[in-house]
């Protein structure tokens, strides 16, 4: 699908309404991580360099259509000014006047969009009011693109629209990974439960050449083969589903890779006594908490031959050592191959990003998506309304 970028628009003398995600963590009124603000710098700078004025639109928290003073963007404005190195004016009324009086390098930050019930309802009236403040709409909030809201969907149909730098970078990376990827493509899907990732698995088996299933989800697949998984996290009621996914994979020529050895323990805690056994040898009173070295060796072998990797979900209970071993080792392998230019690697998901950071591998991945829900829906093959509206 085609979308315009900042390069396709003429910003000279124009006001750009820029949808951003600055939903940063705040503790005791202090912004504790400015990453999300840092990532909008290229878009803001670019528009200003091209002679445009920037009006930022954003949400914060879940105020559900009501004014909740703790969720006012007034609290975030100083951090935005600080990070952008520009004067930032927060406005919560008389928007039209504020826009009319804007200085060239001044950035306006509109109040939390979600204070207005029209935002989450994708209300055309609210979108029209927003659209009346600017000439061009720029969406730089990929992480909000899976929601059809007034500031992500309806507004894009009212103004000339394009993707911001961050959005374009994210879409480009994702397109490379699953849209028109270089083959072979490997997907690693791990995490706790099959039930939360059914759509994901269903989409991937039709698109990738090898699908590694790890984490708690693998237990469900093992159990579906009649293997006793002891006290492991396992969704026994999804045995049929697991078998269906395997059949679909087989028909599509996708190799399903399950653990070839498992690390079992009797307690779910750091440093718990553990042993590595064959996949069908989990003791009745133990649980599978990680994949073993033989599994990692095989995953490494597959990665060596692959051109593209998409990854969501850790291979084991990575929060508690030593059950982070398989995740760390596979991540290190992917990072090494990516760094050497042999693999395009894209990963996303809250716990996945944490696990890859913990493994020290994140920096060498080709692209790490911090978009959470939007990344997952994209991996599930769903059309993202905020992206579709830019087309
Ligand atoms: P993401 O947030 O990246 O999408 P998930 O939330 O699906 O990932 O999965 C992460 C969780 O899966 C972690 O909390 C991890 O401890 C858990 N997990 C992985 N393997 C196992 C396992 N064998 N047993 C229990 N929990 C597991
Ligand atoms: Mg998670």
């Amino acid at each position: 699908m085609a979308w315009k970028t900042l390069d396709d628009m003429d910003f000279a003398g124009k006001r750009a309404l820029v949808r951003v995600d600055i939903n940063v963590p705040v503790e005791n009124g202090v912004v504790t991580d400015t990453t999300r603000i840092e990532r909008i710098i290229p878009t803001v700078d670019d528009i200003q360099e091209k002679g445009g004025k920037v009006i930022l639109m954003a949400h914060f928290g879940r105020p559900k259509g009501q004014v909740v003073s703790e969720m006012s963007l007034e609290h975030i404005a100083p951090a935005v000014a600080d990070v952008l190195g520009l004067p930032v004016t927060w406005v919560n009324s008389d928007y039209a006047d504020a826009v009319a009086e804007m200085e060239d390098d001044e950035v306006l930050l509109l109040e939390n969009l979600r204070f207005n019930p029209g935002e989450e309802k994708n209300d055309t009236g609210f979108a029209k009011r927003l659209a009346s403040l600017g000439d061009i709409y720029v969406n730089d909030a990929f992480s909000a693109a899976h929601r059809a809201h007034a500031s992500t969907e309806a507004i894009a149909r009212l103004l000339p629209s394009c993707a911001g730098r961050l959005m374009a970078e994210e879409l480009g990376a994702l397109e490379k990974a699953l849209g028109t990827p270089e083959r072979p493509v490997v997907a690693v899907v791990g995490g706790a439960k099959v039930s939360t990732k059914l759509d994901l698995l269903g989409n991937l088996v039709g698109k990738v050449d090898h699908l590694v299933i790890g984490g708690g989800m693998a237990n469900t697949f093992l159990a579906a083969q009649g293997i006793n998984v002891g006290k492991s996290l396992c969704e026994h009621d999804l045995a049929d589903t697991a078998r269906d996914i395997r059949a679909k994979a087989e028909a599509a020529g996708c190799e399903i890779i399950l653990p070839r050895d498992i690390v079992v323990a009797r307690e779910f805690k750091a440093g718990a006594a553990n042993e590595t056994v064959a996949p069908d040898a989990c003791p009745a009173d133990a649980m599978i908490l990680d994949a073993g070295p033989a599994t990692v060796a095989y995953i490494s072998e597959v990665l060596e031959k692959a051109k593209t990797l998409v990854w969501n979900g850790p291979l084991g209970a990575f929060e508690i050592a030593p059950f982070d071993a398989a995740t760390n080792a596979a991540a290190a392998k992917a990072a090494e191959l990516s760094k050497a230019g042999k693999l395009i690697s894209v990963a996303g998901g809250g716990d996945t990003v944490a696990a890859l950071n913990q493994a020290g591998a994140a920096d060498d991945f080709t692209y790490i998506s911090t978009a959470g829900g939007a990344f997952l829906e994209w991996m599930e093959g769903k059309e993202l309304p905020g992206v579709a509206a830019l087309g």
Side-chain angles (χ1 to χ4, degrees):
M1 97 153 266
W3 56 86
K4 291 189 169 131
T5 70
L6 299 183
D7 299 326
D8 301 309
M9 316 304 270
D10 180 9
F11 287 100
K14 302 273 172 61
R15 288 160 304 168
L17 280 161
V18 187
R19 177 62 160 99
V20 292
D21 178 2
I22 49 172
N23 203 3
V24 288
V26 175
E27 272 168 43
N28 303 321
V30 180
V31 175
T32 54
D33 180 356
T34 56
T35 309
R36 283 187 158 157
I37 304 173
E38 285 157 31
R39 297 186 82 189
I40 68 171
I41 295 174
T43 295
V44 173
D45 283 357
D46 227 35
I47 292 169
Q48 288 195 341
E49 269 164 36
K50 290 177 155 82
K53 289 182 185 173
V54 174
I55 303 163
L56 298 178
M57 305 186 292
H59 72 278
F60 190 81
R62 296 175 188 274
K64 304 215 154 88
Q66 288 177 15
V67 177
V68 180
S69 54
E70 306 89 80
M71 294 181 198
S72 170
L73 284 173
E74 184 179 16
H75 311 307
I76 311 295
V80 178
D82 215 39
V83 172
L84 294 180
L86 293 167
V88 172
T89 310
W90 164 78
V91 275
N92 72 337
S93 61
D94 304 323
Y95 286 180
D97 292 346
V99 166
E101 289 160 16
M102 269 178 94
E103 303 286 341
D104 282 351
D105 71 335
E106 182 184 3
V107 171
L108 281 196
L109 173 60
L110 307 187
E111 179 58 297
N112 192 342
L113 296 164
R114 292 187 185 168
F115 283 1
N116 190 305
E119 166 63 358
E120 292 183 72
K121 290 188 184 130
N122 200 19
D123 179 63
T124 311
F126 182 52
K128 278 187 180 153
R129 276 164 53 204
L130 293 172
S132 72
L133 302 173
D135 308 298
I136 296 172
Y137 169 68
V138 178
N139 191 343
D140 214 18
F142 177 78
S143 50
H146 58 313
R147 308 260 181 258
H149 289 172
S151 70
T152 62
E153 208 276 338
I155 192 172
R157 292 187 262 113
L158 300 171
L159 288 175
S161 304
C162 72
R165 291 288 177 228
L166 179 56
M167 170 78 100
E169 180 188 67
E170 184 109 25
L171 290 175
L174 301 186
E175 175 66 18
K176 252 192 192 168
L178 272 192
T180 47
E182 279 191 60
R183 292 188 179 275
V185 187
V186 183
V188 173
V189 179
K193 291 183 172 178
V194 172
S195 53
T196 61
K197 299 197 175 174
L198 283 176
D199 291 345
L200 181 61
L201 294 169
N203 183 44
L204 289 176
V205 290
K207 290 206 169 141
V208 306
D209 305 296
H210 308 272
L211 174 60
V212 176
I213 298 176
M217 329 189 26
N219 304 340
T220 300
F221 280 80
L222 293 174
Q225 290 176 25
I227 287 173
N228 194 329
V229 295
K231 292 194 167 153
S232 303
L233 175 66
C234 179
E235 294 170 291
H236 291 282
D237 53 327
L238 287 181
D240 284 341
T241 306
R243 284 190 287 266
D244 285 349
I245 290 169
R246 294 201 72 147
K248 200 178 159 197
E250 198 162 326
C254 166
E255 181 197 17
I256 299 269
I257 301 170
L258 287 172
R260 295 181 163 207
D261 52 353
I262 53 175
V263 181
V264 300
R266 283 167 180 86
E267 289 174 290
F268 190 91
K269 70 166 204 211
N274 63 85
E275 55 186 325
T276 302
V277 299
D280 60 356
C282 179
D285 62 345
M287 56 201 151
I288 306 169
L289 292 182
D290 199 12
T295 309
V296 172
Y298 184 63
I299 294 172
S300 298
E301 203 179 295
V302 172
L303 288 177
E304 292 264 5
K305 287 183 240 156
K307 292 266 171 37
T308 306
L309 164 69
V310 282
W311 186 334
N312 169 261
L315 295 175
F318 77 100
E319 299 97 331
I320 48 170
F323 308 105
D324 55 349
T327 302
N328 290 347
K333 185 75 201 175
E336 173 201 317
L337 292 167
S338 307
K339 201 176 176 185
K342 293 175 183 159
L343 184 71
I344 291 167
S345 51
V346 174
D351 291 292
T352 309
V353 176
L356 296 181
N357 276 323
Q358 190 179 304
D363 286 348
D364 289 326
F365 267 61
T366 313
Y367 196 76
I368 299 275
S369 174
T370 51
F375 173 81
L376 270 179
E377 289 199 20
W378 167 82
M379 242 178 119
E380 288 165 2
K382 293 181 181 150
E383 183 177 78
L384 307 183
V387 177
L390 293 179

